[in-house]
Amino acid sequence: MKLISLILAIYLAFSYPANAVPRIAVLNFELRDITALPNTPDELTRTASMKPLLEQAIKELGDYELVQIVINTQNAANAGIGYLFDFDEVAAKLGRQFDADWIVVGRHSKGSFLYSYVMAHLINVKTESLAGNYSVELKGTHHKVTERGISALAKKLTARITQLSDSISNTAP
């Protein structure tokens, strides 16, 4: 009986990291609107739609577990607009509180009425370091444009997570 328990314990100890799905936390996107008429209700609504769109796109791309971070906790960690975007180690600590492996900090930057950019930092929670810095241009404000841009962003993020996860598993004993 002890032998079976020992074998099971060894199996669990060595198989968990190889079989664990990446746990990704996506924070609410912040709007940085420097147009002549900033922060309109339509643009605030559009920006608020980006997190759920990104989470849905990530789910469709593979086997990932999405971690929800309580908005009050995110707000408490955010010392001001752009703080979590600029300080990877602070965002990583926030992700660690919720057992995430990766945290995505997003910004919607609008410099013109004709185009904007969706930007995201992919942060490795374990190393507290930036694993990827991505930007996608959105030409126009229509919902389909936003969906396509977020979908492109999700592909970049998940490709990087897969690349880094594969390199870690290939170097494991």
Side-chain angles (χ1 to χ4, degrees):
M1 186 67 168
K2 287 183 181 182
L3 180 62
I4 293 173
S5 296
L6 179 64
I7 292 171
L8 180 61
I10 291 171
Y11 172 77
L12 290 175
F14 288 105
S15 67
Y16 177 72
N19 296 331
V21 295
R23 294 175 46 85
I24 305 169
V26 178
L27 298 182
N28 289 331
F29 280 68
E30 293 181 331
L31 175 60
R32 184 172 177 260
D33 190 344
I34 56 171
T35 60
L37 185 61
N39 303 325
T40 63
D42 286 345
E43 209 56 52
L44 290 169
T45 300
R46 178 183 184 200
T47 302
S49 75
M50 292 178 178
K51 175 189 176 195
L53 286 172
L54 182 57
E55 288 175 330
Q56 184 61 39
I58 289 171
K59 281 183 199 175
E60 292 172 1
L61 289 172
D63 191 17
Y64 302 100
E65 183 178 344
L66 291 164
V67 176
Q68 296 302 316
I69 293 183
V70 179
I71 188 65
N72 292 342
T73 307
Q74 178 182 338
N75 290 341
N78 199 3
I81 300 292
Y83 186 76
L84 292 172
F85 192 82
D86 292 334
F87 293 96
D88 303 331
E89 64 281 358
V90 176
K93 287 175 183 163
L94 177 62
R96 187 175 297 115
Q97 289 178 23
F98 292 85
D99 256 352
D101 300 316
W102 305 94
I103 189 163
V104 178
V105 184
R107 174 183 283 168
H108 179 209
S109 183
K110 187 170 181 189
S112 163
F113 293 105
L114 301 175
Y115 65 91
S116 63
Y117 292 91
V118 176
M119 299 179 292
H121 284 176
L122 176 64
I123 299 165
N124 182 324
V125 171
K126 184 176 182 179
T127 63
E128 295 186 0
S129 62
L130 184 67
N133 180 15
Y134 303 99
S135 180
V136 175
E137 185 177 52
L138 306 177
K139 294 180 181 177
T141 60
H142 192 272
H143 185 67
K144 284 290 182 193
V145 170
T146 305
E147 284 181 347
R148 280 193 298 272
I150 293 293
S151 178
L153 179 61
K155 289 175 185 170
K156 291 178 181 186
L157 292 166
T158 56
R160 182 67 173 153
I161 289 170
T162 300
Q163 176 191 27
L164 292 173
S165 296
D166 287 348
S167 69
I168 290 169
S169 65
N170 288 339
T171 60

